[in-house]
Amino acid sequence: MESSSDPQQQHKNPNWLELPRDLITTILLKLGAIEILTSAQNVCSLWREICMDPLMWRAIDMHNLGDLLDIPYGLEIMCRHAIDRSCGQLVDINIEYFGTDELLKYITDSTSQLRRLQLRMCNNISDEGLIVAVRKLPLLEELEISYCSFSTDPLGTVGHSCPLLKSLRLNNKGSLRAHLECNEEALAIAESMHGLRHLQLFGNKLTNDGLLAILDGCPELESLDLRQCFYVSLGGNLGRRCVEQIKDLKLPDDSTIGYEFDASIEDNGSFDEDYPSGFSDIDLWSNDYDYDFSGGSDLTDYEDPYWDY
């Protein structure tokens, strides 16, 4: 008997094109938008048909490594095309590095159902662009703003415009430089986000006063990440209150293992010696990119439309 008819051999070498549709869909949903649009949908007509289904695009993950100069296609054009495919059903989107005011407006003009918005290293989105966007997102429950260059102004708008907000990730690079304390973000959170349950403030410059305001203003808070918040000192009554009020508490000097961004610390050697000098060798990301991939046209069908933009 030939090996090709051997049941064991066939089991070891399945025909991926003959998998059940539901299983193919499950596999494709685990891919990011970039992988689907540049490769997966071109495998065969069935895969392409599945990739055109709006339900495939309720969550759009534009995760990328930030090596924008090495990417030969327009990420903003690709993102707009993915949004179009969602047909207004988009509820979750992650943008890294290439976000712009225009793209954020395109997202919020395309759906009012967004529950989760992740903005990472998006230095081409302005305060005004974010403010205009969140005013159109009354159902937003989760917001991440990591390593962006926004001021405090949008946070108040987020709190007042998104009453269902339960999770906020406001991450930055930890600093050991002296006299950089700032409680503006903490106060904006405390004054407008009373329903928060999960708050990550990695590398924030708040002090004990800002932390106390958050504890008072966010009574439903269950988890709080204060890693590399070096201007907070959790001794005495404040430390005891944090332990009693917060179920999942990460302290300023806790390990950064598992943190998905660059955990290196800005240090000019002028901070008090009482503070730790560093906790992690993790260096998965860089915050040195500032490229603008704005513009582009809407596409309805295509053959490798993202190349050479």
Side-chain angles (χ1 to χ4, degrees):
M1 182 177 294
E2 295 180 358
S3 59
S4 60
S5 61
D6 185 342
Q8 292 185 351
Q9 184 68 20
Q10 290 179 355
H11 179 72
K12 292 179 182 178
N13 300 285
N15 187 341
W16 292 99
L17 301 182
E18 296 179 357
L19 293 174
R21 184 186 181 98
D22 290 348
L23 183 55
I24 295 174
T25 300
T26 300
I27 293 172
L28 292 175
L29 283 171
K30 295 183 181 297
L31 300 177
I34 296 174
E35 290 82 0
I36 291 176
L37 291 172
T38 59
S39 57
Q41 69 171 10
N42 298 320
V43 169
C44 65
S45 59
L46 175 59
W47 284 33
R48 180 174 177 80
E49 178 187 342
I50 294 173
C51 291
M52 295 295 292
D53 188 339
L55 293 179
M56 287 286 297
W57 302 97
R58 297 185 76 244
I60 297 175
D61 182 6
M62 296 295 292
H63 171 91
N64 67 88
L65 296 179
D67 299 325
L68 301 183
L69 293 180
D70 296 328
I71 296 177
Y73 38 78
L75 291 175
E76 182 164 341
I77 297 174
M78 186 181 298
C79 187
R80 288 176 182 241
H81 190 50
I83 294 167
D84 291 342
R85 286 195 181 185
S86 73
C87 297
Q89 299 186 48
L90 180 64
V91 297
D92 180 350
I93 190 166
N94 171 24
I95 304 172
E96 298 190 9
Y97 289 97
F98 66 94
T100 63
D101 286 353
E102 293 77 14
L103 178 58
L104 200 54
K105 182 178 185 300
Y106 195 82
I107 293 169
T108 56
D109 285 348
S110 300
T111 179
S112 60
Q113 306 300 311
L114 209 64
R115 264 68 169 184
R116 187 183 188 206
L117 174 63
Q118 294 173 273
L119 303 176
R120 299 177 170 186
M121 290 71 75
C122 291
N123 291 325
N124 289 318
I125 297 178
S126 67
D127 283 6
E128 184 61 26
L130 181 56
I131 288 172
V132 170
V134 297
R135 285 174 176 165
K136 301 178 183 179
L137 301 175
L139 301 181
L140 196 68
E141 298 177 3
E142 299 180 40
L143 174 64
E144 176 179 350
I145 303 175
S146 292
Y147 303 93
C148 298
S149 54
F150 301 115
S151 73
T152 307
D153 294 341
L155 289 178
T157 304
V158 169
H160 295 300
S161 302
C162 308
L164 301 180
L165 192 71
K166 298 294 186 293
S167 175
L168 175 66
R169 300 180 68 189
L170 188 64
N171 300 321
N172 217 317
K173 185 176 288 290
S175 177
L176 290 172
R177 297 179 182 179
H179 310 303
L180 291 180
E181 305 96 316
C182 181
N183 285 313
E184 291 183 2
E185 292 176 339
L187 294 177
I189 292 169
E191 292 169 0
S192 65
M193 303 182 191
H194 306 301
L196 270 187
R197 295 179 183 174
H198 309 285
L199 178 60
Q200 184 176 63
L201 293 174
F202 194 102
N204 199 272
K205 297 176 177 62
L206 81 165
T207 67
N208 286 13
D209 291 338
L211 176 57
L212 183 59
I214 288 174
L215 294 176
D216 289 338
C218 307
E220 298 184 36
L221 205 58
E222 299 174 5
S223 67
L224 177 61
D225 188 344
L226 296 171
R227 285 178 295 178
Q228 295 195 5
C229 294
F230 298 131
Y231 301 96
V232 168
S233 177
L234 293 178
N237 293 332
L238 181 59
R240 284 192 291 273
R241 180 174 175 184
C242 284
V243 171
E244 293 172 356
Q245 183 171 337
I246 308 299
K247 296 178 182 178
D248 182 7
L249 177 65
K250 290 183 173 62
L251 304 177
D253 59 348
D254 279 355
S255 170
T256 60
I257 293 176
Y259 183 65
E260 57 192 307
F261 302 106
D262 176 9
S264 62
I265 301 169
E266 294 180 352
D267 183 6
N268 64 358
S270 61
F271 209 75
D272 287 343
E273 293 181 358
D274 292 338
Y275 288 86
S277 60
F279 306 104
S280 174
D281 294 325
I282 296 175
D283 188 12
L284 301 179
W285 294 89
S286 172
N287 194 29
D288 297 326
Y289 298 94
D290 189 13
Y291 305 110
D292 187 351
F293 276 70
S294 60
S297 59
D298 303 335
L299 303 174
T300 57
D301 204 355
Y302 59 95
E303 183 68 27
D304 293 332
Y306 312 114
W307 301 97
D308 299 323
Y309 283 89

